[in-house]
Amino acid sequence: MTEAAELPPAPEVAREVFGDRFGDAVRYAELLAEAGVQRGLIGPREVPRLWERHLLNCAVLSEVVPEGVTVCDVGSGAGLPGIPLALVREDLKITLLEPLLRRTNFLTEVVELLGLDHVTVARGRAEEVMGTMPPVHVVTARAVAPLDRLATWGIPLLRPYGEMLALKGDTAEEELKSASTALSKLGAVGTSILQVGEGVVEPLSTVVRVEVGESPGGVRFAAKRAKAARTSRTRRRR
């Protein structure tokens, strides 16, 4: 039986990034290294690089998230990037959206243990919750799917003029090019590749930003959204 990898001490820069929530960030790292590995949410080989590759890599996404907005973290998994983002940005209202029960159970435990009152855990697939969950200003995602497929799930959850922020690696530029037609059909009006985390992570974290216009998801999803809204209003009247 392979011996469990040991979680290294938090790097000094983590104290600056997480500030008053540094202790909670340490506890979250410990939960990932213990329960996260035991429940199969992260691989044991990730434990030695939890801080640099996961917590800090996700926390620096805060550099490009506007102030005081609503956020949906699609396919949140073990809470990345949603929980590190929540630890550094208490001004945000964040929903961690995840379809698998064992993952939502873990997320609920983490949110309660860390006292993240501005975070909600929701179980479901993105395509299932449209119309039942209020549209958000920002959708975030990390290691969920290629950009073209991710966009079909995430963009319809946005409010008009919202944005999707996807943490990507070396394939960001290639994925953005291959997804351009799909993004246009989904109502995207602007795209860009951003580098964040200077002085915190090396290499820098790569973020693909997709901005939408007045019809997130395009014409087809606009009709679907309107139908869901009508159904919701009918239910409330009963």
Side-chain angles (χ1 to χ4, degrees), residues 103-186:
R103 292 177 180 169
T104 54
N105 285 343
F106 175 78
L107 293 173
T108 300
E109 290 166 19
V110 171
V111 166
E112 290 177 356
L113 184 66
L114 302 185
L116 298 174
D117 298 333
H118 58 306
V119 177
T120 302
V121 177
R123 185 181 174 202
R125 299 183 184 281
E127 59 270 33
E128 297 168 346
V129 302
M130 192 180 72
T132 62
M133 189 179 85
V136 296
H137 297 92
V138 176
V139 161
T140 59
R142 178 179 187 255
V144 173
L147 188 62
D148 54 352
R149 198 170 353 137
L150 173 63
T152 65
W153 301 333
I155 287 180
L157 300 179
L158 289 170
R159 294 170 50 137
Y161 308 104
E163 59 186 348
M164 183 174 75
L165 300 171
L167 277 161
K168 290 286 182 180
D170 297 336
T171 61
E173 195 167 339
E174 184 183 325
E175 284 192 49
L176 189 53
K177 282 181 183 175
S178 62
S180 60
T181 301
L183 292 174
S184 181
K185 288 179 180 177
L186 288 164

Side-chain angles (χ1 to χ4, degrees), residues 11-51:
E12 195 57 36
V13 71
R15 291 183 180 274
E16 300 171 27
V17 171
F18 291 102
D20 293 343
R21 285 281 195 172
F22 172 70
D24 290 326
V26 171
R27 187 67 188 115
Y28 176 51
E30 292 169 348
L31 288 166
L32 287 174
E34 296 159 10
V37 172
Q38 291 163 10
R39 300 186 198 182
L41 303 183
I42 66 161
R45 291 183 181 179
E46 297 303 310
V47 173
R49 51 187 185 178
L50 266 178
W51 283 104

